[in-house]
Amino acid sequence: MYIRRVTRKNKDGTTVAYLQLAHNEWDPKAKYAKAKVIYSFGREDEVDRAVLERLAKSISRFLSPEQAWEVETLTGEASDDFQFQSCKHLGGVWLLDQLWRQLGLGEILHSLFTSRHHQISLERLIFAMVANRALHPSSKLAMEEWVEKDVYIPHLPQAASHQLYRAMDELLAVQPELERQVFHAVADLLNLEVDLIYFDTTSSYFEVDPSETPEGESLRKQGFSKDKRPDLVQIVIGLAVTREGIPIRAWVWPGNTMDMTVIKQVKQDLIGWKLGRVISVMDRGFSSEENLRILQQAGGHYIVGEKMRSGKAAVEEALSRRGRYHEVDENLHIKEIIVGDGEARQRYVLVYNPSEAERQRKERETLLESLKEELEGLRQLPNEAHHKATCRLRSHPSYGKYLRQLKDGTLRIDKQAVRDAEKYDGKYLIRTSDDTLSAEDVAIGYKQLVDIEQAFRTLKSTLELRPMYHRLEDRIRAHVLLSWLALLLVRIVEIRTHESWPNVRDECERLMLGHFSSKNGDLDQRTELTAKQAQFFAALGLEPPPKILGIHPRT
C-alpha cells in the first residue's frame, strides 16, 4: 500500500495533480500488477495535510523506532531543535566487526574466555586492538582516546590501557587453541585449499640500543636484519600462508635465529593440525638437505628454490643439461630436469623469464659502463689516493664481482665473470619431492610465493608492525598475534573485493556516525552510503550499518 500521485493535463495546457491511497493487485489476464485505488485525497493543491499527518502517525505506532523517526521527519513532527554534537568514524570498524563475526572469531574468543570474568568483554578489547592495527595503528595508551572519541566500536564505548594490556596477556594464554580454531573456522568458511603452504620469515626491529637491553634478554637480539637495521635488536617472525594468500599461522623467534633452524618446529606445528597432504613452498634460504628431510616427514612434500651458485654437484649438473624450454606463458618458460637414479633421484624445474633476463642484462650493461668510468678515473689519482680508490672498488658490493687485479696491481674488468653472470639472467632453479605435480604446477606454485612477500609488506607497512616499543617478551608475542589477526582480516578483504586494503579502508572510513541531541533525547545517525562503500559491503557479503544506530529518549 502506498500514496501515489497522478497528473492530468487540461485543455488550457495546465497540469493538475491528485493524491491517492493505492495498492497493487495481480491481474491474471494481463499477467502484471495493476494499481487499485482505495481512497482519493483529492487535488494535491487542495489536500488537507492534517489528514495525511494523522494517517502517518497512526501507522508509525506499528513501526520500529528507526522507521517511526523517518516518518516523523517526513511529516514534520520530529523536533526541529536537534543539535549536531559530534561524529565518529564508523565504516571501517563496522566492516571489520561484521567480518570478524562472519568468520566466527568472536564466538571462538568467547568460548576460550568463558571461565574468565572481567568488567569489559575480553573479546571486545581484543577486537578493538585488531581493528586499531588495521585502521589507525597506535600505542595502547593512545587507543584510550581513539576508542572513546574517534571511532564507534559496537558494545565498547571506552577502554583503558591497563584493560588492553590485560587482554593481551589473556590472549597469549590461549594462543595455541586460538590458532587452531581460527584456522579451521576460516578454512571451512572460505573453502581454503591447504595442500600448498607457503612459508617465509622476516625480521622486525625495536627502537632501543642493544646496550640498553637487560642481561637476561632472550627474545630481542641482534641478527641478520631484513629491514636494513643491523644496529638494532630485533625478533624473527615466520608466516605460513595458503595459495590464496590467507595467513594461517605466525611464529616468533629470537632475533639471532637463522632461517635454517626453524623448519622442524614449523613442520611439527602444522602436522599437529592434521592438514593431510601438504606441500611446503619455501625460498632458497631453507633448502638445506636436513630441512628437506624434515619437510618430507609424515608424508609431506616440498617445493623450494635452489641457490644456483651454491656449488652443489647436482645443481651444477641440472644447470648444464641441454634441452628446450616449454613456454607456459609469455614470461614463464620451464624445463624439467632429473638428476640421479633411484633413491638419490632429484627432480628440478629450471624457469626462465625473458623479460627479467632483458632487465638484468640492461642493468649489468649500465653497471659496467659506470665501472669503466671509475677505472678511467683511477689513472688521474696520485699514489695514496689511487691505492684507496682501488681498494674501494675491489670491495664494492656491485663492482667487485666484475673486477680482477693484475700482478702489477692494475684493475681490469673480468670478462669471464661477466660471461658467467649472463648464464643466470632471468633464471631460477626449483627443486621438488612431489612427482605427482606437473612441472608447470611446480613453477606456478613457487611463483606464488610472492603472496607471502605481499603479506609481509602489509604486516610491516600498512599495519605498522615495526618499530615495536614493547619490552616484555609476552607482550611482544601478543603484539605479533594481534597483527596476525589483523592481517587475516585485511587479506580476506583484499581477496574478496579485488582492491588494496588502503583503498577499502580510506573509502569506508568516510562513512561517519553523527550524534544529535535535543530536549527530547539523543539520536545516532550515519551518513549516506556511497556507491563504492555499498559495493565493498556487498562483495564481502556483509550488511552495512543501519541508517539510525540508536535513539535515546530523555526520561
Side-chain angles (χ1 to χ4, degrees), residues 415-432:
K415 295 183 179 179
Q416 183 59 46
V418 175
R419 287 192 293 269
D420 290 341
E422 290 174 349
K423 294 190 300 183
Y424 300 105
D425 284 351
K427 297 177 183 176
Y428 55 92
L429 187 64
I430 308 169
R431 180 176 170 184
T432 181

Side-chain angles (χ1 to χ4, degrees), residues 32-52:
Y32 62 84
K34 292 183 178 181
K36 181 179 180 180
V37 177
I38 299 174
Y39 180 79
S40 178
F41 294 99
R43 290 178 50 153
E44 184 180 26
D45 56 346
E46 297 176 356
V47 73
D48 186 357
R49 289 188 59 85
V51 174
L52 294 178

Side-chain angles (χ1 to χ4, degrees), residues 76-134:
E77 289 295 316
S79 174
D80 59 358
D81 60 349
F82 267 85
Q83 294 181 344
F84 177 53
Q85 298 290 354
S86 63
C87 69
K88 292 183 176 182
H89 292 283
L90 172 65
V93 168
W94 187 273
L95 182 145
L96 292 174
D97 188 47
Q98 292 295 302
L99 183 58
W100 178 269
R101 297 173 187 276
Q102 185 189 77
L103 298 174
L105 303 185
E107 293 180 5
I108 291 172
L109 288 171
H110 279 305
S111 67
L112 294 175
F113 294 138
T114 51
S115 61
R116 294 168 171 82
H117 303 287
H118 294 268
Q119 292 180 342
I120 298 181
S121 167
L122 290 174
E123 181 271 336
R124 287 290 81 191
L125 292 170
I126 291 168
F127 169 75
M129 289 186 283
V130 170
N132 179 259
R133 283 288 104 197

Side-chain angles (χ1 to χ4, degrees), residues 42 162 190 202 215 240 253 342 360 366 378 394-395 426 484 490 504:
H162 71 273
L190 303 182
T202 189
E215 291 185 5
W253 294 289
Q360 292 176 356
T366 302
L378 286 178
R394 288 191 62 190
S395 60
W484 163 65
V490 164
V504 177

Side-chain angles (χ1 to χ4, degrees), residues 510-552:
R510 298 186 183 103
L511 185 63
M512 309 294 289
L513 180 66
H515 180 73
F516 303 85
S517 66
S518 75
K519 63 181 180 181
N520 296 320
D522 293 355
L523 171 73
D524 295 320
Q525 180 175 334
R526 64 160 170 80
T527 55
E528 293 300 320
L529 279 171
T530 66
K532 198 70 174 176
Q533 291 164 358
Q535 177 184 331
F536 288 149
F537 279 101
L540 291 163
L542 306 175
E543 288 293 329
K547 187 171 184 178
I548 297 177
L549 265 74
I551 296 177
H552 315 286

Side-chain angles (χ1 to χ4, degrees), residues 155-169:
H155 310 297
L156 188 68
Q158 57 187 9
S161 58
H162 71 273
Q163 293 171 326
L164 297 170
Y165 283 122
R166 179 65 184 276
M168 291 177 71
D169 297 339

Side-chain angles (χ1 to χ4, degrees), residues 215-228:
E215 291 185 5
E217 181 70 51
S218 60
L219 192 61
R220 296 182 299 175
K221 298 283 187 179
Q222 282 185 287
F224 175 73
S225 175
K226 298 184 180 183
D227 296 317
K228 313 299 182 186

